[in-house]
């Protein structure tokens, strides 16, 4: 801010706004400064999680599965409509029915050995035992399972985004510490140069501080390159271009609740899979029920329905027919037994998932507790280092110690601050990771 004000004071303000005096122009710029700061690009972890859920290529499957379900249901509903079949045949028989002579002085010619027939058959299903409705429910459940599997895959990306985001956040915090370290060393260097100028300090004292400043610039360059690499990875994952100047907001989470009900999408998938087994079992049961349909047939052929008429005639037939597979060699029952085994497998998969999930939660809670202890020690160490550095500053000014000795104390302080930042970031990472693993992060962040 000081550099900004100094720059403004040297501007030829009358060329910019001739109707304002210098103090008024400075006031306008200062009032505008918050808006300049606000315009800086920022991003939050929650936004990254939302973007990866929307922009990741796998998310496109959601709309595709919905479209596919609509088509499948339309196909099943067609079974309620009449079916029309056009049939035609031409045959030649080696033998035909013959009366073998005259009947009551009437000569009856046998049918021709070459016969021709074309028919149009119409069938309308009247009763199907609820098979169509059960088939629709089975398709809907299958689509819901597909949607949930996509949701699980997208949910798994949260772990990757979370680690990328916190790696970037740690780099950002380290850069902030480096800037503060550089600022203080620069101030010490100016004091040492003044001492060298007036002969109270050796010129080597300034050289040591200058070398340390170069090392800081080198470290900052290294961090910037690492940040650029991670930003590119995060940009690809969330489908949004992040500029190197982007500022990452530090996430806020509610305290971890160990006994909170899990909202993991895998649990819903297991329930859907068991529902699918039940629906398929019901579908098999309904397939055993009788089916009744009405039919009508119209045709033209030689012979027609009158087998004794050897001319081409049209004909018509209508009625009701029943289809019932009374005995299937126990096939249906064994298929339902196989489905029950599928249900038991799903229960086993659910138990395995919950066990592994609980183990991961225990490990994450242990990491959170460990970070809290380390932070407590860091907060005790840093004030003591600050006192030591303050003493070393005074000794450096008076030429009691060398700049190398001062740099040692100063570096110890910033290493302690860096450790504190690391431990706080790791604690926050594990807290959010805990809630993602528990399936409660969205609820806690809203």
């Amino acid at each position: 801010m000081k550099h900004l004000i100094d720059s403004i004071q040297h501007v030829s303000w009358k060329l910019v706004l001739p109707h304002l005096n210098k103090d008024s122009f400075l006031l306008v710029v200062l009032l505008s400064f918050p808006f300049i700061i606000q315009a800086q690009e920022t991003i939050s972890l929650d936004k990254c999680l939302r973007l990866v859920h929307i922009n990741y290529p796998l998310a496109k499957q959601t709309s595709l599965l919905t479209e596919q379900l609509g088509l499948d249901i339309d196909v099943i509903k067609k079974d309620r409509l009449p079916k029309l079949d056009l049939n035609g045949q031409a045959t030649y028989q080696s033998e035909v029915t013959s009366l073998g002579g005259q009947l009551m002085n009437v000569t009856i010619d046998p049918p021709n050995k070459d016969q021709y027939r074309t028919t149009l058959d119409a069938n309308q299903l009247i009763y199907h035992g609820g098979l169509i409705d059960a088939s629709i429910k089975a398709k809907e459940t299958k689509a819901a399972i597909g949607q949930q599997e996509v949701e699980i895959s997208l949910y798994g990306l949260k772990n990757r985004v979370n680690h990328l985001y916190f790696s970037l956040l740690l780099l950002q915090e380290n850069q902030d510490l480096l800037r503060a370290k550089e600022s203080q060393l620069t101030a010490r260097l100016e004091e040492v140069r003044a001492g060298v100028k007036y002969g109270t300090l050796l010129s080597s004292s300034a050289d040591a501080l200058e070398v340390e400043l170069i090392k800081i610039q080198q470290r900052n360059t290294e961090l910037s390159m690492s940040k650029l690499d991670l930003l590119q990875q995060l940009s690809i994952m969330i489908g949004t271009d992040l500029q190197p100047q982007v500022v990452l907001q530090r996430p806020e989470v509610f305290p971890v609740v160990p006994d909170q009900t899990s909202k993991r999408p895998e649990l819903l998938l297991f329930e859907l899979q068991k529902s699918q087994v039940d629906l398929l079992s019901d579908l098999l049961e309904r397939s055993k029920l009788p089916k009744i349909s009405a039919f009508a047939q119209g045709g033209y052929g030689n012979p027609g329905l009158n087998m004794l008429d050897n001319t081409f005639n049209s004909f018509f037939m209508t009625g009701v027919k029943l289809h019932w597979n009374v005995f299937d060699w126990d096939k249906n029952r064994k298929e339902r037994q196989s489905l029950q085994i599928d249900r038991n497998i799903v229960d086993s998969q659910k138990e395995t998932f919950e066990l592994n999930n609980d183990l991961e939660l225990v490990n994450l809670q242990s990491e959170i507790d460990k970070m809290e202890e380390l932070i407590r020690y860091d907060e005790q160490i840093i004030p003591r280092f600050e006192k030591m550095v303050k003493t070393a500053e005074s000794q450096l000014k008076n030429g009691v110690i060398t700049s190398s000795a001062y740099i040692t104390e100063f570096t110890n302080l910033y290493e302690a601050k860096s450790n504190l930042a690391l431990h706080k970031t790791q604690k926050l990472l594990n807290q959010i990771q805990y809630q993602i693993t528990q399936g409660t992060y969205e609820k806690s962040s809203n």
Side-chain angles (χ1 to χ4, degrees), residues 9-240:
Q9 290 176 339
H10 290 87
V11 171
S12 181
W13 55 272
K14 289 187 177 294
L15 296 176
V16 182
L17 293 172
H19 300 292
L20 294 178
N21 58 34
K22 185 175 182 179
D23 293 336
S24 298
F25 175 68
L26 182 59
L27 180 61
V28 169
V29 174
L30 289 176
L31 290 175
S32 303
F33 185 73
F35 298 99
I36 298 172
I37 297 298
Q38 190 176 7
Q40 190 174 22
E41 182 186 7
T42 61
I43 194 165
S44 66
L45 175 60
D46 290 340
K47 185 176 180 180
C48 289
L49 294 176
R50 287 195 301 271
L51 288 173
V52 75
H53 198 277
I54 295 170
N55 297 329
Y56 201 74
L58 185 64
K60 297 176 183 177
Q61 289 188 19
T62 301
S63 60
L64 293 175
L65 288 169
T66 301
E67 182 181 356
Q68 186 182 50
L69 174 62
L71 293 172
D72 290 341
I73 290 176
D74 285 343
V75 170
I76 295 173
K77 286 182 177 179
K78 300 298 182 185
D79 289 337
R80 291 195 175 104
L81 302 177
K83 291 181 174 57
L84 296 176
D85 297 306
L86 180 64
N87 303 295
Q89 68 177 30
T91 63
Y92 181 85
Q93 300 177 202
S94 62
E95 191 174 358
V96 294
T97 303
S98 173
L99 297 179
Q102 294 183 342
L103 181 62
M104 297 178 64
N105 299 321
V106 177
T107 301
I108 300 176
D109 297 328
N112 298 328
K113 289 186 176 182
D114 56 323
Q115 297 183 5
Y116 308 91
R117 171 173 291 203
T118 300
T119 62
L120 181 63
D121 298 315
N123 289 276
Q124 173 63 60
L125 193 62
I126 297 175
Y127 175 76
H128 48 72
L131 190 63
I132 292 177
D133 292 334
S135 298
I136 291 175
K137 289 180 180 179
K139 282 291 183 182
E140 289 173 342
T141 304
K142 179 184 176 183
I145 288 174
Q147 298 276 17
Q148 197 63 19
E149 287 173 343
V150 172
E151 187 68 25
I152 289 170
S153 298
L154 292 174
Y155 194 87
L157 295 173
K158 291 184 178 183
N159 292 333
R160 293 173 60 186
V161 171
N162 191 36
H163 282 89
L164 271 176
Y165 188 90
F166 274 94
S167 296
L168 283 164
L169 185 64
L170 185 60
L171 289 175
Q172 177 178 287
E173 291 173 345
N174 283 336
Q175 285 184 312
D176 291 341
L177 283 173
L178 279 178
R179 280 190 285 270
K181 184 178 180 181
E182 183 180 27
S183 177
Q184 291 194 33
L185 277 180
T186 301
R188 298 291 82 75
L189 179 59
E190 291 177 356
E191 293 173 354
V192 168
R193 283 174 175 169
V196 171
K197 180 179 179 180
Y198 293 106
T200 58
L201 295 174
L202 297 175
S203 60
S204 59
S205 299
D207 294 337
L209 290 173
E210 288 174 351
V211 168
E212 189 64 24
L213 283 170
I214 293 173
K215 288 181 179 179
I216 289 175
Q217 293 172 359
Q218 182 185 43
R219 176 60 178 160
N220 189 53
T221 300
E222 182 183 359
L223 293 178
S224 296
M225 297 302 294
S226 298
K227 182 179 178 181
L228 184 61
D229 176 50
L230 293 176
L231 274 176
Q232 289 175 344
Q233 294 182 43
L234 185 59
S235 297
I236 292 172
M237 286 199 67
I238 67 177
T240 301

